[in-house]
Amino acid sequence: MSKSGQGVPRSIERRTWLAAALSGVAASSLLRTRFDAVDLLAQQSEPADPTKVMGRLVSELGSRAPGEQPRRQAGPAAPSSSSRTPLGDLHGIITPADLHFERHHAGVPAIDPESYELLIHGMVERPLVFTLPDLKRFPSVSRIHFLECSGNGGGAFNPARMPTDITPQAMDGLLSTSEWTGVPLATLLREVGVRPQASWIVAEGGDAAMLNRSIPLEKAMDDALIAYGQNGEGLRPEQGYPARVFLPGWEGNTSVKWVRRIEVTDQPVMSREETSNYTDPLKGGSARQFSFVMDAKSVITFPTFPYALPERGWWEVQGLAWSGRGTITGVDISIDGGRTWAPARLQQPVLPLAAVRFTFPWNWDGREAMLLSRCSDETGYVQPSAQEYIAARGEQTRYHSNFIRAWKVTPDGTVTYGLGDLL
Ligand SMILES: Nc1nc2c(c(=O)[nH]1)N[C@H]1C(S)=C(S)[C@@H](COP(=O)(O)O)O[C@H]1N2
Ligand SMILES: [Mo]
């Protein structure tokens, strides 16, 4: 009881208590009336003291706090075909399902789970059709993995005009991490019986793009999933409901959504998505093909544009690091544009082929600073500088852009993308 006793009239308090003491279905309508009355009064008495008013009742579906409204953001190039995860608004490593980035070549199809079928055929002993309930009868696994579009970070370097006013979401938000649940593709391939001569599979989506990609049989038999679950619930329609291919650590487009057909073959099909798209132009007019693995990459998510540090003193630099080759083993931070480096702390859990959150306590002295992060993985791979990256790949390719980003903090606290200053 507060000393002043202000807030809700005593009679209502008693009724609230009475209502809360009631239980059972028969009392539910009575409860609703009582609580509605309390809610109305709570609205009238500003500012409401939450310790004096019965709170909002339970609900079938939760919602975010009014002050926490992160949003996906349409991509700059093709606004209707990709949206980006608000990397700077999130904590830990899991992306809430409704904020998982999207990349659709022909929109989100409406697929009836009742009539959904996955056909596996080609160089197999027994071609089979699996319904969604069929898929769920097999032994399931749940694994935490990142998914990244190979076009992610394409805006981090522009030889014509380096951006400064770009957020981590706009630059690298085609990255999300989920707990994916499904059946190992190897289980299904054993069920149909792969012929010894087979060496590839071709997965095809049931959307209007009918996106298809060739995948080496070795990967399909290793850690590939047919996923139907995402962070504890069924896949979101945007993520491929009712089931998608999920290839841990590999470029996003190989994780074929709304998968309806898998053909076992002895060669890649050379589809549009692996010839005109998703090959990486190199210097001298050649191109990399089948650049499946996503290279190790780290991005600082705080402090970044458009944030302004209000004062000098202790700030926690934060970000995410991930590698398609395995587990992240370290992240180093530089506050002086790469002259000196110091190790960041890796927050648990540190999982293979999953984003890892790193943190670095920084005592800002109020002078200009240039913040960089550089990660390495268990294979010894070290995230390259932009100079090293451009020397190896040239200035043409927009895929697999994993070089070190830079954030410039000026004495007034303003933070902008600063890579242009380092080139
Ligand atoms: N059938 C189908 N699968 C697809 C796509 C698509 O358009 N159609 N887009 C691909 C691309 S380019 C990426 S990056 C990932 C994106 O997955 P997400 O939308 O769940 O984030 O799905 C891939 N699988
Ligand atoms: Mo993609």
Side-chain angles (χ1 to χ4, degrees), residues 172 295-300 319-322 328 330-333 358 372-376 383 402-405:
D172 286 309
D295 297 308
K297 177 170 170 182
S298 68
V299 297
I300 290 172
L320 296 168
W322 62 98
I328 290 290
V331 178
D332 292 324
I333 301 291
F358 63 84
L372 275 55
S373 67
R374 179 184 66 194
C375 68
S376 45
Q383 185 181 7
N402 74 319
F403 51 79
I404 294 169
R405 282 80 169 106

Side-chain angles (χ1 to χ4, degrees), residues 103 149-150 253 278:
R103 175 72 183 97
C149 176
S150 58
N253 61 78
Y278 305 118

Side-chain angles (χ1 to χ4, degrees), residues 152-407:
N152 198 28
F157 174 75
N158 181 344
R161 194 190 77 87
M162 283 299 287
T164 53
D165 54 348
I166 186 169
T167 64
Q169 174 175 19
M171 188 158 63
D172 286 309
L174 296 172
L175 167 91
S176 303
T177 296
S178 303
E179 183 195 61
W180 302 98
T181 298
V183 49
L185 181 50
T187 305
L188 302 180
L189 290 174
R190 276 196 290 272
E191 199 71 10
V192 296
V194 173
R195 295 234 170 97
Q197 304 80 7
S199 52
W200 288 78
I201 65 165
V202 183
E204 178 186 87
D207 54 336
M210 286 172 59
L211 181 134
N212 61 346
R213 284 284 332 236
S214 310
I215 298 157
L217 186 61
E218 197 185 348
K219 179 70 172 177
M221 295 300 287
D222 180 16
D223 58 357
L225 298 179
I226 299 298
Y228 48 74
Q230 180 184 2
N231 296 343
E233 58 181 345
L235 277 190
R236 292 280 168 132
E238 300 95 312
Q239 265 67 61
Y241 182 82
R244 80 180 301 167
V245 174
F246 189 86
L247 301 185
W250 282 26
E251 57 183 27
N253 61 78
T254 61
S255 285
V256 174
K257 300 190 280 190
W258 315 290
V259 62
R260 66 168 199 171
R261 190 169 72 89
I262 291 175
E263 185 174 353
V264 179
T265 65
D266 59 0
Q267 57 188 317
V269 72
M270 295 297 176
S271 76
R272 175 175 180 273
E273 307 301 346
E274 53 207 27
T275 50
S276 90
N277 284 337
Y278 305 118
T279 52
D280 315 341
L282 296 175
K283 288 179 292 187
S286 61
R288 292 203 305 165
Q289 193 187 26
F290 300 121
S291 44
F292 289 130
V293 176
M294 297 308 293
D295 297 308
K297 177 170 170 182
S298 68
V299 297
I300 290 172
T301 56
F302 180 86
T304 50
F305 180 81
Y307 201 81
L309 294 177
E311 59 182 26
R312 61 184 64 189
W314 286 104
W315 294 95
E316 187 176 63
V317 178
Q318 282 205 14
L320 296 168
W322 62 98
S323 169
R325 288 193 176 78
T327 307
I328 290 290
T329 46
V331 178
D332 292 324
I333 301 291
S334 175
I335 57 159
D336 54 14
R339 275 188 292 280
T340 61
W341 296 86
R345 192 175 68 91
L346 301 185
Q347 250 182 28
Q348 293 295 330
V350 178
L351 301 169
L353 311 175
V356 172
R357 183 161 294 265
F358 63 84
T359 62
F360 181 81
W362 175 43
N363 194 353
W364 183 43
D365 60 10
R367 286 184 293 186
E368 183 169 304
M370 188 73 86
L371 304 180
L372 275 55
S373 67
R374 179 184 66 194
C375 68
S376 45
D377 69 22
E378 62 178 314
T379 69
Y381 180 96
V382 179
Q383 185 181 7
S385 68
Q387 286 89 341
E388 289 167 330
Y389 178 91
I390 292 163
R393 301 260 173 88
E395 296 192 343
Q396 292 305 310
T397 183
R398 291 287 171 275
Y399 294 129
H400 294 270
S401 158
N402 74 319
F403 51 79
I404 294 169
R405 282 80 169 106
W407 297 96

